Each structure stands twice: as C-alpha cells, then as structure tokens.
PDB file of all heavy atoms in Angstrom:
ATOM      1  N   LEU A   1      -5.836 -24.932  21.665  1.00 85.00           N
ATOM      2  CA  LEU A   1      -5.927 -23.701  20.882  1.00 85.00           C
ATOM      3  C   LEU A   1      -5.712 -24.036  19.409  1.00 85.00           C
ATOM      4  O   LEU A   1      -4.617 -24.389  18.996  1.00 85.00           O
ATOM      5  CB  LEU A   1      -4.867 -22.697  21.322  1.00 85.00           C
ATOM      6  CG  LEU A   1      -4.990 -22.133  22.728  1.00 85.00           C
ATOM      7  CD1 LEU A   1      -3.761 -21.320  23.084  1.00 85.00           C
ATOM      8  CD2 LEU A   1      -6.227 -21.264  22.825  1.00 85.00           C
ATOM      9  N   THR A   2      -6.760 -23.917  18.632  1.00 84.00           N
ATOM     10  CA  THR A   2      -6.682 -24.185  17.197  1.00 84.00           C
ATOM     11  C   THR A   2      -6.821 -22.868  16.446  1.00 84.00           C
ATOM     12  O   THR A   2      -7.828 -22.173  16.601  1.00 84.00           O
ATOM     13  CB  THR A   2      -7.814 -25.142  16.766  1.00 84.00           C
ATOM     14  OG1 THR A   2      -7.735 -26.323  17.547  1.00 84.00           O
ATOM     15  CG2 THR A   2      -7.706 -25.471  15.289  1.00 84.00           C
ATOM     16  N   PRO A   3      -5.820 -22.518  15.649  1.00 86.00           N
ATOM     17  CA  PRO A   3      -5.933 -21.258  14.909  1.00 86.00           C
ATOM     18  C   PRO A   3      -6.952 -21.368  13.777  1.00 86.00           C
ATOM     19  O   PRO A   3      -6.903 -22.287  12.971  1.00 86.00           O
ATOM     20  CB  PRO A   3      -4.526 -21.036  14.358  1.00 86.00           C
ATOM     21  CG  PRO A   3      -3.901 -22.378  14.335  1.00 86.00           C
ATOM     22  CD  PRO A   3      -4.545 -23.182  15.411  1.00 86.00           C
ATOM     23  N   MET A   4      -7.885 -20.459  13.780  1.00 87.00           N
ATOM     24  CA  MET A   4      -8.855 -20.321  12.696  1.00 87.00           C
ATOM     25  C   MET A   4      -8.876 -18.838  12.336  1.00 87.00           C
ATOM     26  O   MET A   4      -9.602 -18.050  12.925  1.00 87.00           O
ATOM     27  CB  MET A   4     -10.239 -20.813  13.122  1.00 87.00           C
ATOM     28  CG  MET A   4     -10.301 -22.305  13.344  1.00 87.00           C
ATOM     29  SD  MET A   4     -11.942 -22.885  13.742  1.00 87.00           S
ATOM     30  CE  MET A   4     -12.808 -22.524  12.268  1.00 87.00           C
ATOM     31  N   ILE A   5      -8.068 -18.482  11.391  1.00 87.00           N
ATOM     32  CA  ILE A   5      -7.891 -17.081  11.033  1.00 87.00           C
ATOM     33  C   ILE A   5      -8.920 -16.708   9.976  1.00 87.00           C
ATOM     34  O   ILE A   5      -9.038 -17.381   8.953  1.00 87.00           O
ATOM     35  CB  ILE A   5      -6.474 -16.843  10.513  1.00 87.00           C
ATOM     36  CG1 ILE A   5      -5.466 -17.257  11.586  1.00 87.00           C
ATOM     37  CG2 ILE A   5      -6.284 -15.388  10.122  1.00 87.00           C
ATOM     38  CD1 ILE A   5      -4.060 -17.312  11.095  1.00 87.00           C
ATOM     39  N   SER A   6      -9.627 -15.632  10.232  1.00 89.00           N
ATOM     40  CA  SER A   6     -10.607 -15.174   9.245  1.00 89.00           C
ATOM     41  C   SER A   6      -9.883 -14.448   8.119  1.00 89.00           C
ATOM     42  O   SER A   6      -8.791 -13.904   8.304  1.00 89.00           O
ATOM     43  CB  SER A   6     -11.644 -14.268   9.890  1.00 89.00           C
ATOM     44  OG  SER A   6     -11.099 -13.009  10.178  1.00 89.00           O
ATOM     45  N   THR A   7     -10.498 -14.437   6.966  1.00 89.00           N
ATOM     46  CA  THR A   7      -9.902 -13.779   5.815  1.00 89.00           C
ATOM     47  C   THR A   7      -9.710 -12.288   6.073  1.00 89.00           C
ATOM     48  O   THR A   7      -8.688 -11.713   5.706  1.00 89.00           O
ATOM     49  CB  THR A   7     -10.777 -13.973   4.562  1.00 89.00           C
ATOM     50  OG1 THR A   7     -12.096 -13.501   4.844  1.00 89.00           O
ATOM     51  CG2 THR A   7     -10.833 -15.420   4.162  1.00 89.00           C
ATOM     52  N   ASP A   8     -10.672 -11.670   6.746  1.00 89.00           N
ATOM     53  CA  ASP A   8     -10.594 -10.247   7.038  1.00 89.00           C
ATOM     54  C   ASP A   8      -9.436  -9.940   7.991  1.00 89.00           C
ATOM     55  O   ASP A   8      -8.675  -8.998   7.772  1.00 89.00           O
ATOM     56  CB  ASP A   8     -11.920  -9.779   7.638  1.00 89.00           C
ATOM     57  CG  ASP A   8     -12.078  -8.275   7.602  1.00 89.00           C
ATOM     58  OD1 ASP A   8     -11.718  -7.681   6.561  1.00 89.00           O
ATOM     59  OD2 ASP A   8     -12.556  -7.708   8.587  1.00 89.00           O
ATOM     60  N   ALA A   9      -9.288 -10.745   9.037  1.00 89.00           N
ATOM     61  CA  ALA A   9      -8.211 -10.531  10.004  1.00 89.00           C
ATOM     62  C   ALA A   9      -6.841 -10.727   9.346  1.00 89.00           C
ATOM     63  O   ALA A   9      -5.910  -9.955   9.594  1.00 89.00           O
ATOM     64  CB  ALA A   9      -8.372 -11.475  11.185  1.00 89.00           C
ATOM     65  N   TYR A  10      -6.725 -11.743   8.505  1.00 91.00           N
ATOM     66  CA  TYR A  10      -5.445 -11.990   7.831  1.00 91.00           C
ATOM     67  C   TYR A  10      -5.099 -10.859   6.871  1.00 91.00           C
ATOM     68  O   TYR A  10      -3.963 -10.390   6.841  1.00 91.00           O
ATOM     69  CB  TYR A  10      -5.482 -13.326   7.081  1.00 91.00           C
ATOM     70  CG  TYR A  10      -4.173 -13.643   6.407  1.00 91.00           C
ATOM     71  CD1 TYR A  10      -3.091 -14.114   7.141  1.00 91.00           C
ATOM     72  CD2 TYR A  10      -4.004 -13.436   5.049  1.00 91.00           C
ATOM     73  CE1 TYR A  10      -1.880 -14.384   6.532  1.00 91.00           C
ATOM     74  CE2 TYR A  10      -2.791 -13.704   4.434  1.00 91.00           C
ATOM     75  CZ  TYR A  10      -1.737 -14.188   5.176  1.00 91.00           C
ATOM     76  OH  TYR A  10      -0.537 -14.446   4.570  1.00 91.00           O
ATOM     77  N   PHE A  11      -6.069 -10.411   6.090  1.00 91.00           N
ATOM     78  CA  PHE A  11      -5.802  -9.331   5.144  1.00 91.00           C
ATOM     79  C   PHE A  11      -5.413  -8.051   5.875  1.00 91.00           C
ATOM     80  O   PHE A  11      -4.468  -7.362   5.467  1.00 91.00           O
ATOM     81  CB  PHE A  11      -7.012  -9.076   4.249  1.00 91.00           C
ATOM     82  CG  PHE A  11      -6.769  -7.992   3.257  1.00 91.00           C
ATOM     83  CD1 PHE A  11      -6.072  -8.250   2.088  1.00 91.00           C
ATOM     84  CD2 PHE A  11      -7.227  -6.698   3.490  1.00 91.00           C
ATOM     85  CE1 PHE A  11      -5.827  -7.242   1.176  1.00 91.00           C
ATOM     86  CE2 PHE A  11      -6.989  -5.693   2.578  1.00 91.00           C
ATOM     87  CZ  PHE A  11      -6.284  -5.960   1.420  1.00 91.00           C
ATOM     88  N   ASP A  12      -6.131  -7.709   6.949  1.00 90.00           N
ATOM     89  CA  ASP A  12      -5.800  -6.501   7.705  1.00 90.00           C
ATOM     90  C   ASP A  12      -4.401  -6.586   8.305  1.00 90.00           C
ATOM     91  O   ASP A  12      -3.649  -5.614   8.299  1.00 90.00           O
ATOM     92  CB  ASP A  12      -6.839  -6.255   8.805  1.00 90.00           C
ATOM     93  CG  ASP A  12      -8.184  -5.826   8.256  1.00 90.00           C
ATOM     94  OD1 ASP A  12      -8.262  -5.438   7.062  1.00 90.00           O
ATOM     95  OD2 ASP A  12      -9.174  -5.894   9.012  1.00 90.00           O
ATOM     96  N   PHE A  13      -4.045  -7.761   8.829  1.00 90.00           N
ATOM     97  CA  PHE A  13      -2.715  -7.973   9.403  1.00 90.00           C
ATOM     98  C   PHE A  13      -1.643  -7.835   8.327  1.00 90.00           C
ATOM     99  O   PHE A  13      -0.642  -7.143   8.515  1.00 90.00           O
ATOM    100  CB  PHE A  13      -2.659  -9.355  10.062  1.00 90.00           C
ATOM    101  CG  PHE A  13      -1.356  -9.664  10.731  1.00 90.00           C
ATOM    102  CD1 PHE A  13      -1.011  -9.052  11.915  1.00 90.00           C
ATOM    103  CD2 PHE A  13      -0.473 -10.575  10.162  1.00 90.00           C
ATOM    104  CE1 PHE A  13       0.199  -9.342  12.537  1.00 90.00           C
ATOM    105  CE2 PHE A  13       0.727 -10.865  10.769  1.00 90.00           C
ATOM    106  CZ  PHE A  13       1.065 -10.251  11.962  1.00 90.00           C
ATOM    107  N   ALA A  14      -1.850  -8.475   7.180  1.00 92.00           N
ATOM    108  CA  ALA A  14      -0.871  -8.423   6.090  1.00 92.00           C
ATOM    109  C   ALA A  14      -0.750  -7.005   5.534  1.00 92.00           C
ATOM    110  O   ALA A  14       0.365  -6.542   5.236  1.00 92.00           O
ATOM    111  CB  ALA A  14      -1.261  -9.401   4.987  1.00 92.00           C
ATOM    112  N   ALA A  15      -1.856  -6.306   5.406  1.00 90.00           N
ATOM    113  CA  ALA A  15      -1.823  -4.938   4.887  1.00 90.00           C
ATOM    114  C   ALA A  15      -1.086  -4.007   5.852  1.00 90.00           C
ATOM    115  O   ALA A  15      -0.288  -3.166   5.415  1.00 90.00           O
ATOM    116  CB  ALA A  15      -3.238  -4.434   4.630  1.00 90.00           C
ATOM    117  N   ALA A  16      -1.334  -4.145   7.144  1.00 89.00           N
ATOM    118  CA  ALA A  16      -0.630  -3.321   8.132  1.00 89.00           C
ATOM    119  C   ALA A  16       0.868  -3.602   8.090  1.00 89.00           C
ATOM    120  O   ALA A  16       1.689  -2.678   8.183  1.00 89.00           O
ATOM    121  CB  ALA A  16      -1.184  -3.582   9.530  1.00 89.00           C
ATOM    122  N   PHE A  17       1.227  -4.851   7.943  1.00 88.00           N
ATOM    123  CA  PHE A  17       2.633  -5.246   7.828  1.00 88.00           C
ATOM    124  C   PHE A  17       3.268  -4.582   6.611  1.00 88.00           C
ATOM    125  O   PHE A  17       4.343  -3.975   6.706  1.00 88.00           O
ATOM    126  CB  PHE A  17       2.703  -6.772   7.675  1.00 88.00           C
ATOM    127  CG  PHE A  17       3.708  -7.436   8.550  1.00 88.00           C
ATOM    128  CD1 PHE A  17       3.370  -7.863   9.817  1.00 88.00           C
ATOM    129  CD2 PHE A  17       4.983  -7.655   8.089  1.00 88.00           C
ATOM    130  CE1 PHE A  17       4.302  -8.487  10.613  1.00 88.00           C
ATOM    131  CE2 PHE A  17       5.919  -8.279   8.880  1.00 88.00           C
ATOM    132  CZ  PHE A  17       5.580  -8.698  10.147  1.00 88.00           C
ATOM    133  N   ALA A  18       2.618  -4.716   5.467  1.00 90.00           N
ATOM    134  CA  ALA A  18       3.182  -4.203   4.214  1.00 90.00           C
ATOM    135  C   ALA A  18       3.278  -2.683   4.227  1.00 90.00           C
ATOM    136  O   ALA A  18       4.307  -2.120   3.829  1.00 90.00           O
ATOM    137  CB  ALA A  18       2.344  -4.674   3.036  1.00 90.00           C
ATOM    138  N   ILE A  19       2.234  -2.012   4.678  1.00 89.00           N
ATOM    139  CA  ILE A  19       2.244  -0.547   4.675  1.00 89.00           C
ATOM    140  C   ILE A  19       3.265  -0.003   5.666  1.00 89.00           C
ATOM    141  O   ILE A  19       3.975   0.960   5.374  1.00 89.00           O
ATOM    142  CB  ILE A  19       0.832  -0.002   4.956  1.00 89.00           C
ATOM    143  CG1 ILE A  19      -0.065  -0.295   3.753  1.00 89.00           C
ATOM    144  CG2 ILE A  19       0.860   1.489   5.248  1.00 89.00           C
ATOM    145  CD1 ILE A  19      -1.522  -0.014   3.979  1.00 89.00           C
ATOM    146  N   SER A  20       3.370  -0.620   6.832  1.00 90.00           N
ATOM    147  CA  SER A  20       4.357  -0.173   7.821  1.00 90.00           C
ATOM    148  C   SER A  20       5.769  -0.256   7.256  1.00 90.00           C
ATOM    149  O   SER A  20       6.558   0.684   7.389  1.00 90.00           O
ATOM    150  CB  SER A  20       4.268  -1.022   9.089  1.00 90.00           C
ATOM    151  OG  SER A  20       3.016  -0.874   9.693  1.00 90.00           O
ATOM    152  N   LEU A  21       6.087  -1.373   6.631  1.00 92.00           N
ATOM    153  CA  LEU A  21       7.430  -1.520   6.082  1.00 92.00           C
ATOM    154  C   LEU A  21       7.642  -0.653   4.846  1.00 92.00           C
ATOM    155  O   LEU A  21       8.748  -0.136   4.636  1.00 92.00           O
ATOM    156  CB  LEU A  21       7.713  -2.984   5.777  1.00 92.00           C
ATOM    157  CG  LEU A  21       8.063  -3.748   7.052  1.00 92.00           C
ATOM    158  CD1 LEU A  21       7.933  -5.227   6.851  1.00 92.00           C
ATOM    159  CD2 LEU A  21       9.450  -3.395   7.502  1.00 92.00           C
ATOM    160  N   ALA A  22       6.622  -0.463   4.039  1.00 91.00           N
ATOM    161  CA  ALA A  22       6.755   0.403   2.870  1.00 91.00           C
ATOM    162  C   ALA A  22       7.060   1.836   3.302  1.00 91.00           C
ATOM    163  O   ALA A  22       7.920   2.500   2.717  1.00 91.00           O
ATOM    164  CB  ALA A  22       5.488   0.353   2.029  1.00 91.00           C
ATOM    165  N   LEU A  23       6.384   2.302   4.333  1.00 91.00           N
ATOM    166  CA  LEU A  23       6.654   3.649   4.840  1.00 91.00           C
ATOM    167  C   LEU A  23       8.006   3.717   5.533  1.00 91.00           C
ATOM    168  O   LEU A  23       8.715   4.724   5.424  1.00 91.00           O
ATOM    169  CB  LEU A  23       5.538   4.091   5.784  1.00 91.00           C
ATOM    170  CG  LEU A  23       4.177   4.305   5.126  1.00 91.00           C
ATOM    171  CD1 LEU A  23       3.122   4.645   6.182  1.00 91.00           C
ATOM    172  CD2 LEU A  23       4.236   5.368   4.065  1.00 91.00           C
ATOM    173  N   LEU A  24       8.378   2.668   6.216  1.00 91.00           N
ATOM    174  CA  LEU A  24       9.675   2.632   6.883  1.00 91.00           C
ATOM    175  C   LEU A  24      10.812   2.679   5.860  1.00 91.00           C
ATOM    176  O   LEU A  24      11.849   3.300   6.107  1.00 91.00           O
ATOM    177  CB  LEU A  24       9.785   1.378   7.751  1.00 91.00           C
ATOM    178  CG  LEU A  24      10.977   1.298   8.681  1.00 91.00           C
ATOM    179  CD1 LEU A  24      10.898   2.414   9.711  1.00 91.00           C
ATOM    180  CD2 LEU A  24      10.999  -0.033   9.382  1.00 91.00           C
ATOM    181  N   PHE A  25      10.612   2.076   4.715  1.00 94.00           N
ATOM    182  CA  PHE A  25      11.637   2.085   3.675  1.00 94.00           C
ATOM    183  C   PHE A  25      11.759   3.453   3.002  1.00 94.00           C
ATOM    184  O   PHE A  25      12.674   3.662   2.202  1.00 94.00           O
ATOM    185  CB  PHE A  25      11.347   0.998   2.638  1.00 94.00           C
ATOM    186  CG  PHE A  25      11.951  -0.335   2.975  1.00 94.00           C
ATOM    187  CD1 PHE A  25      11.752  -0.941   4.197  1.00 94.00           C
ATOM    188  CD2 PHE A  25      12.730  -0.997   2.048  1.00 94.00           C
ATOM    189  CE1 PHE A  25      12.292  -2.166   4.500  1.00 94.00           C
ATOM    190  CE2 PHE A  25      13.285  -2.233   2.338  1.00 94.00           C
ATOM    191  CZ  PHE A  25      13.067  -2.821   3.573  1.00 94.00           C
ATOM    192  N   GLN A  26      10.883   4.387   3.311  1.00 93.00           N
ATOM    193  CA  GLN A  26      10.991   5.755   2.813  1.00 93.00           C
ATOM    194  C   GLN A  26      11.931   6.600   3.669  1.00 93.00           C
ATOM    195  O   GLN A  26      12.230   7.743   3.324  1.00 93.00           O
ATOM    196  CB  GLN A  26       9.612   6.420   2.774  1.00 93.00           C
ATOM    197  CG  GLN A  26       8.634   5.799   1.822  1.00 93.00           C
ATOM    198  CD  GLN A  26       9.008   6.010   0.378  1.00 93.00           C
ATOM    199  OE1 GLN A  26       9.363   7.109  -0.023  1.00 93.00           O
ATOM    200  NE2 GLN A  26       8.933   4.954  -0.404  1.00 93.00           N
ATOM    201  N   MET A  27      12.394   6.048   4.776  1.00 91.00           N
ATOM    202  CA  MET A  27      13.253   6.804   5.696  1.00 91.00           C
ATOM    203  C   MET A  27      14.531   7.353   5.048  1.00 91.00           C
ATOM    204  O   MET A  27      14.939   8.467   5.382  1.00 91.00           O
ATOM    205  CB  MET A  27      13.608   5.953   6.922  1.00 91.00           C
ATOM    206  CG  MET A  27      12.446   5.732   7.878  1.00 91.00           C
ATOM    207  SD  MET A  27      11.850   7.259   8.601  1.00 91.00           S
ATOM    208  CE  MET A  27      13.218   7.669   9.650  1.00 91.00           C
ATOM    209  N   PRO A  28      15.193   6.627   4.141  1.00 90.00           N
ATOM    210  CA  PRO A  28      16.382   7.239   3.524  1.00 90.00           C
ATOM    211  C   PRO A  28      16.069   8.541   2.782  1.00 90.00           C
ATOM    212  O   PRO A  28      16.846   9.502   2.866  1.00 90.00           O
ATOM    213  CB  PRO A  28      16.877   6.163   2.553  1.00 90.00           C
ATOM    214  CG  PRO A  28      16.360   4.882   3.109  1.00 90.00           C
ATOM    215  CD  PRO A  28      15.056   5.222   3.756  1.00 90.00           C
ATOM    216  N   LEU A  29      14.943   8.585   2.089  1.00 89.00           N
ATOM    217  CA  LEU A  29      14.577   9.829   1.397  1.00 89.00           C
ATOM    218  C   LEU A  29      14.249  10.934   2.393  1.00 89.00           C
ATOM    219  O   LEU A  29      14.634  12.086   2.196  1.00 89.00           O
ATOM    220  CB  LEU A  29      13.382   9.603   0.481  1.00 89.00           C
ATOM    221  CG  LEU A  29      13.665   8.893  -0.828  1.00 89.00           C
ATOM    222  CD1 LEU A  29      12.381   8.699  -1.613  1.00 89.00           C
ATOM    223  CD2 LEU A  29      14.676   9.640  -1.649  1.00 89.00           C
ATOM    224  N   LEU A  30      13.527  10.583   3.448  1.00 88.00           N
ATOM    225  CA  LEU A  30      13.207  11.580   4.468  1.00 88.00           C
ATOM    226  C   LEU A  30      14.476  12.124   5.106  1.00 88.00           C
ATOM    227  O   LEU A  30      14.631  13.341   5.281  1.00 88.00           O
ATOM    228  CB  LEU A  30      12.285  10.966   5.535  1.00 88.00           C
ATOM    229  CG  LEU A  30      11.895  11.881   6.682  1.00 88.00           C
ATOM    230  CD1 LEU A  30      11.048  13.040   6.168  1.00 88.00           C
ATOM    231  CD2 LEU A  30      11.148  11.104   7.737  1.00 88.00           C
ATOM    232  N   THR A  31      15.400  11.249   5.436  1.00 87.00           N
ATOM    233  CA  THR A  31      16.664  11.677   6.030  1.00 87.00           C
ATOM    234  C   THR A  31      17.450  12.546   5.056  1.00 87.00           C
ATOM    235  O   THR A  31      18.048  13.553   5.450  1.00 87.00           O
ATOM    236  CB  THR A  31      17.495  10.448   6.438  1.00 87.00           C
ATOM    237  OG1 THR A  31      16.717   9.627   7.295  1.00 87.00           O
ATOM    238  CG2 THR A  31      18.761  10.856   7.161  1.00 87.00           C
ATOM    239  N   PHE A  32      17.454  12.179   3.786  1.00 86.00           N
ATOM    240  CA  PHE A  32      18.140  12.980   2.775  1.00 86.00           C
ATOM    241  C   PHE A  32      17.585  14.403   2.731  1.00 86.00           C
ATOM    242  O   PHE A  32      18.345  15.379   2.728  1.00 86.00           O
ATOM    243  CB  PHE A  32      18.007  12.315   1.401  1.00 86.00           C
ATOM    244  CG  PHE A  32      18.506  13.166   0.278  1.00 86.00           C
ATOM    245  CD1 PHE A  32      19.868  13.289   0.035  1.00 86.00           C
ATOM    246  CD2 PHE A  32      17.620  13.874  -0.519  1.00 86.00           C
ATOM    247  CE1 PHE A  32      20.335  14.087  -0.999  1.00 86.00           C
ATOM    248  CE2 PHE A  32      18.070  14.666  -1.549  1.00 86.00           C
ATOM    249  CZ  PHE A  32      19.433  14.782  -1.797  1.00 86.00           C
TER     250      PHE A  32
END
C-alpha cells in the first residue's frame, strides 16, 4: 500500500478539519 494523495483529496480533508475545529471553538460563545 503506497499512499498517493491527490491535491484535491488533501485540500478537502484539511479544509474539513479546519472548519470543524473552527466551529467547535465557537462553543464557548454559544454556551454563553
């Protein structure tokens, strides 16, 4: 198994990671 990650797959993965955590970090304001 040799990883060959496409640019599109990597960007989508990284963007989902970043957006999920960015929204999760809004929880203190929502709770407030």
Side-chain angles (χ1 to χ4, degrees):
L1 294 172
T2 304
M4 292 184 65
I5 302 169
S6 74
T7 56
D8 197 42
Y10 182 77
F11 181 81
D12 290 345
F13 182 73
F17 227 89
I19 290 171
S20 297
L21 281 163
L23 293 176
L24 189 64
F25 271 52
Q26 296 291 314
M27 288 297 291
L29 283 178
L30 179 65
T31 305
F32 172 78

